Amino acid sequence: MSLVNHSHEQTVPKGAIWFCAAVIGFTLIAAGAVRLGFVPVTASPVAVRTAAHLKPTATRTLSFADEAGGGLLITDVATGAVAQEIKPGEPSGFIRGLLRGMGRERRMKNVGKAVPYRLESWSNGQLSLTDTGTGRSIELSAFGPTNREAFAVLLK
């Protein structure tokens, strides 16, 4: 007779099951409270500006075009003047990355490259880039001062 127990019964501790049930329950209650209006939804920067009747302090309508050698040409749509030319090899990762993400949304919505972007500085210190073709607005201040400055120089 063998004294070794070959039972492979696996059990989950009851405490872990209760904890998971509590987390799921809390999530459902919290989501329901927001959905039913018991807890206010955090306002977006666009909604805050609209409610406060803030007006832009500076606005510039821009177009972005890739150049043959790998550069990026940024043009003021109103005047046709070159706002900035980023040559190949110059740091422009933030601008290119942001435009890549916005370009993906443009392709999904069949918005052409000729439709401009609107760069705006606000009286509360915020800086936003709006795709006039899709309506998507990006709050540039959220990406830190260095990345914000990459676009802020385009308003000068």
Side-chain angles (χ1 to χ4, degrees), residues 7 16 44 62 97 115:
S7 173
S44 70
L62 303 168
V115 178

Side-chain angles (χ1 to χ4, degrees), residues 4-77:
V4 178
N5 183 1
H6 292 287
S7 173
H8 295 288
E9 182 181 336
Q10 295 180 358
T11 60
V12 178
K14 286 183 181 180
I17 293 172
W18 282 109
F19 177 75
C20 289
V23 169
I24 292 169
F26 174 77
T27 303
L28 291 173
I29 290 170
V34 171
R35 193 84 166 139
L36 295 172
F38 296 117
V39 177
V41 178
T42 304
S44 70
V46 174
V48 169
R49 284 194 295 263
T50 302
H53 305 292
L54 294 179
K55 301 288 184 209
T57 56
T59 300
R60 196 167 191 191
T61 306
L62 303 168
S63 69
F64 298 86
D66 290 320
E67 292 185 308
L72 180 65
L73 185 66
I74 305 170
T75 308
D76 185 315
V77 173

Side-chain angles (χ1 to χ4, degrees), residues 48-142:
V48 169
R49 284 194 295 263
T50 302
H53 305 292
L54 294 179
K55 301 288 184 209
T57 56
T59 300
R60 196 167 191 191
T61 306
L62 303 168
S63 69
F64 298 86
D66 290 320
E67 292 185 308
L72 180 65
L73 185 66
I74 305 170
T75 308
D76 185 315
V77 173
T79 64
V82 173
Q84 185 178 12
E85 185 175 5
I86 301 172
K87 303 223 183 288
E90 289 182 5
S92 63
F94 178 67
I95 293 175
R96 287 183 186 277
L98 190 66
L99 292 174
R100 194 173 310 122
M102 293 179 97
R104 188 176 313 116
E105 186 172 354
R106 281 182 164 211
R107 284 189 300 279
M108 290 178 359
K109 294 184 176 183
N110 295 319
V111 175
K113 292 182 179 183
V115 178
Y117 294 85
R118 187 175 56 249
L119 181 64
E120 295 173 303
S121 175
W122 299 90
S123 58
N124 63 355
Q126 297 297 310
L127 187 67
S128 64
L129 181 68
T130 302
D131 184 339
T132 62
T134 64
R136 182 176 181 198
S137 182
I138 303 287
E139 299 302 315
L140 300 169
S141 300

